[in-house]
Amino acid sequence: MARVVQKFGGTSVADIARIQSAAAKVKAEIDRGNQVAVVVSAMAGATNELVGHVTAISTLYDVREYDAVVAAGEQVSAGLMALALQGQGVDARSWLGWQIPIRTDDAHGKARIQGIETDELLRGMAAGQVPVVAGFQGLGPDNRITTLGRGGSDTSAVALAAAIGADRCDIFTDVEGVFTTDPRIVAKAHKLDKITYEEMLEMASLGAKVLQTRSVEMAMNHRVRLQVRSSFSDAPGTLVVDEEEIVEQEIVSGIAYNKDEAKITLVRVADRPGVAASIFGPLSDAHINVDMIVQNISEDGKATDMTFTVTKADFERACEVLKSHRAALGYQRLIGDANVVKISIIGVGMRSHPGVAQTMFTALAEKGINIQVISTSEIKVSVLISDDYAELALRALHTAYGLDAD
Ligand code: ASP
Ligand code: MG
């Protein structure tokens, strides 16, 4: 007997027919003799609608009430899933975050899970009852409902899997698994059978939207065996595993892109100790995250150019903050550009293979694509380019790294 967590995303519970077919997948797992705990997202579109109701009243809302409202979507889908299971002869009941409870910190709207009480859940499971857990929500130290940030039910599922010591955590979604890159852009993209935690973490944080980044982090830390798979077929999906489990490691496993960044250049800021701190301090005080950073060498030893990226959502605000500190920063000009895309190649094989970045630069050069900013880590290389070339670049790189499906 295995213990399995099955998580169904919004599109997998979008309407009653889909909830019925998701319930059938749970029943099939039970019929194989396994113990199952289910985690559900809200029905597709439900959370957006609830967020819309909140922001229609005020954009400067009380986040505790925001949580009370937006957590409601999962209450509905959890109840419906339990009913569908009962209808198929499976003993099941819904569990809301506060009933278990799933304890979180007090960061309303983006809370972190701190602990899950599992005794009652496990007792029910042992007696043959399927707990249907509302994803995305928890209980804060203030005894109020919290939510885990958009896409957070992935994290609920992984946290639950870790807490009950599940053998597997299946994430059912509307795609067949994790692809080498976005198949809507690159027709030759193919599904990966396996990907390492580290690569998946980079893929998720660099723009692939299939899993919430935090859920991958948690799976990696607790060694939860994750599988991303389609709720519309029975085909195996992508397993997220330890590096040792991958026999034939490609040098580059995947290519991610992120159109959500904007570039800011400060022309001629003073080249002296403390200047970076004086630029990025005010930005961080304003809760603006900076991603890529490059600083040029200065020709005259007096001034240099500083370029960095922020999210598009923070772009205007970042420019305002920098303008209001202009006197202290003493830059000559601020140039902003939101028409950029960040493209990243990812692969743990890079650690042991030289020349991986060079292939990227050559492939882009051959297409006449100018690289504006470069950043690297042990297992990824990211470049910032004009967003006019996003698709061309993705296709060229996919071919250059031998990822095209035949
Ligand atoms: N329903 C929530 C959202 O739309 C959580 C989730 O789906 O993972 O963000
Ligand atoms: Mg999701």
Side-chain angles (χ1 to χ4, degrees), residues 266-270 300 302-306 329-333:
L266 295 178
V267 180
R268 290 192 72 78
V269 292
D300 52 9
K302 286 188 195 130
T304 176
D305 298 344
M306 185 80 90
L329 298 174
Y331 58 85
Q332 203 177 69
R333 209 148 51 95

Side-chain angles (χ1 to χ4, degrees), residues 180-191:
T180 46
T181 193
D182 190 339
R184 289 167 304 182
I185 296 179
V186 181
K188 289 176 176 164
H190 65 270
K191 190 191 79 187

Side-chain angles (χ1 to χ4, degrees), residues 95-124:
W95 286 91
L96 300 180
W98 62 268
Q99 292 173 314
I100 297 175
I102 295 176
R103 296 202 187 273
T104 72
D105 63 14
D106 62 357
H108 281 275
K110 48 173 188 306
R112 278 180 180 271
I113 295 178
Q114 292 180 326
I116 302 181
E117 270 163 50
T118 55
D119 290 359
E120 245 197 290
L121 292 182
L122 287 172
R123 221 176 302 130

Side-chain angles (χ1 to χ4, degrees), residues 53-309:
H53 291 328
V54 172
T55 53
I57 294 178
S58 164
T59 48
L60 294 170
Y61 46 76
D62 174 348
V63 277
R64 293 161 303 187
E65 300 305 347
Y66 165 95
D67 279 350
V69 175
V70 302
E74 273 74 8
Q75 174 161 345
V76 173
S77 54
L80 291 173
M81 176 65 83
L83 288 171
L85 284 165
Q86 290 170 7
Q88 295 182 28
V90 176
D91 183 13
R93 70 153 279 191
S94 63
W95 286 91
L96 300 180
W98 62 268
Q99 292 173 314
I100 297 175
I102 295 176
R103 296 202 187 273
T104 72
D105 63 14
D106 62 357
H108 281 275
K110 48 173 188 306
R112 278 180 180 271
I113 295 178
Q114 292 180 326
I116 302 181
E117 270 163 50
T118 55
D119 290 359
E120 245 197 290
L121 292 182
L122 287 172
R123 221 176 302 130
M125 285 168 77
Q129 188 180 62
V130 173
V132 182
V133 175
F136 183 50
Q137 51 174 264
L139 182 67
D142 52 2
N143 224 23
R144 298 180 69 165
I145 293 169
T146 53
T147 63
L148 310 178
R150 298 304 306 270
S153 52
D154 293 332
T155 302
S156 308
V158 174
L160 183 65
I164 66 173
D167 301 283
R168 225 172 65 223
C169 180
D170 284 355
I171 306 280
F172 287 92
T173 179
D174 53 3
V175 292
E176 286 161 55
V178 181
F179 279 69
T180 46
T181 193
D182 190 339
R184 289 167 304 182
I185 296 179
V186 181
K188 289 176 176 164
H190 65 270
K191 190 191 79 187
L192 295 160
D193 294 330
K194 289 183 178 176
I195 186 168
T196 68
Y197 291 114
E198 280 176 288
E199 290 168 330
M200 192 63 234
L201 192 57
E202 292 282 7
M203 293 276 262
S205 58
L206 292 168
K209 300 233 170 355
V210 3
L211 288 172
Q212 199 197 30
T213 306
R214 212 180 259 180
S215 72
V216 184
E217 220 168 62
M218 190 176 290
M220 180 158 99
N221 292 339
H222 296 274
R223 289 294 179 260
V224 172
R225 281 180 78 79
L226 263 189
Q227 180 174 202
V228 179
R229 57 191 302 186
S230 167
S231 54
F232 309 129
S233 82
D234 285 322
T238 301
L239 276 175
V240 188
V241 295
D242 262 333
E243 206 171 325
E244 295 78 61
E245 275 192 57
I246 299 189
V247 190
E248 265 183 77
Q249 182 66 55
E250 300 287 345
I251 295 172
V252 167
S253 301
I255 307 174
Y257 69 96
N258 185 354
K259 292 191 170 174
D260 195 35
E261 293 195 20
K263 183 182 71 166
I264 296 174
T265 300
L266 295 178
V267 180
R268 290 192 72 78
V269 292
D271 190 18
R272 55 170 165 76
V275 73
S278 62
I279 293 172
F280 299 116
L283 291 175
S284 109
D285 292 343
H287 302 288
I288 294 170
N289 271 331
V290 174
D291 179 29
M292 306 170 97
I293 303 177
V294 279
Q295 184 189 333
N296 278 345
I297 55 151
S298 71
E299 275 172 36
D300 52 9
K302 286 188 195 130
T304 176
D305 298 344
M306 185 80 90
T307 297
F308 52 90
T309 62

